[in-house]
Amino acid sequence: MTTALTKFLTEKLDDLKAADILTIDVRGKSSVTDNMIICTGTSSRHVASLAQKLIDESKQAGFDTFGEEGKATADWVVVDFGQAMVHIMQRESREMYQLEKLWA
């Protein structure tokens, strides 16, 4: 099931040129969130920019964020939206951690 929040986040990430956007329904697998959105940025600057712009645009649209982690190094940034957790990763980190296999 795609919520309005998940749809908004995936569309914004696409608009911001994130690559390989994937949404995984983790209800029943995670007590933390309902949906996990994973995407790839091209560099640490792109990853940090994606995270910040996503946070800014979400707030303007009335969606709350509950925190973010990883913006200092921007190799892998996680943004918590409650119902959805967004993982913005550089390609090397995404290949190494393979979240898709872990949660799918």
Side-chain angles (χ1 to χ4, degrees):
M1 179 178 113
T2 304
T3 64
L5 173 61
T6 303
K7 186 175 188 308
F8 174 83
L9 294 172
T10 55
E11 287 175 357
K12 283 296 158 200
L13 287 166
D14 187 52
D15 291 348
L16 295 167
K17 306 295 186 238
D20 304 322
I21 303 165
L22 176 67
T23 302
I24 303 171
D25 185 335
V26 294
R27 286 174 291 180
K29 297 177 187 176
S30 170
S31 59
V32 179
T33 190
D34 293 340
N35 292 288
M36 200 168 287
I37 300 169
I38 304 167
C39 67
T40 305
T42 56
S43 65
S44 58
R45 180 173 286 188
H46 187 221
V47 168
S49 175
L50 283 168
Q52 191 57 56
K53 288 179 180 176
L54 189 63
I55 291 165
D56 294 345
E57 295 203 22
S58 296
K59 285 181 181 175
Q60 286 180 343
F63 295 113
D64 292 327
T65 57
F66 299 100
E68 76 262 347
E69 206 55 55
K71 278 175 38 180
T73 58
D75 184 51
W76 176 1
V77 178
V78 180
V79 185
D80 182 358
F81 289 92
Q83 287 182 343
M85 194 77 70
V86 179
H87 296 264
I88 306 168
M89 309 171 87
Q90 288 190 49
R91 179 146 323 277
E92 299 80 27
S93 293
R94 189 163 178 180
E95 289 171 0
M96 182 186 314
Y97 293 103
Q98 298 185 5
L99 295 181
E100 295 90 333
K101 288 184 179 177
L102 183 66
W103 290 102

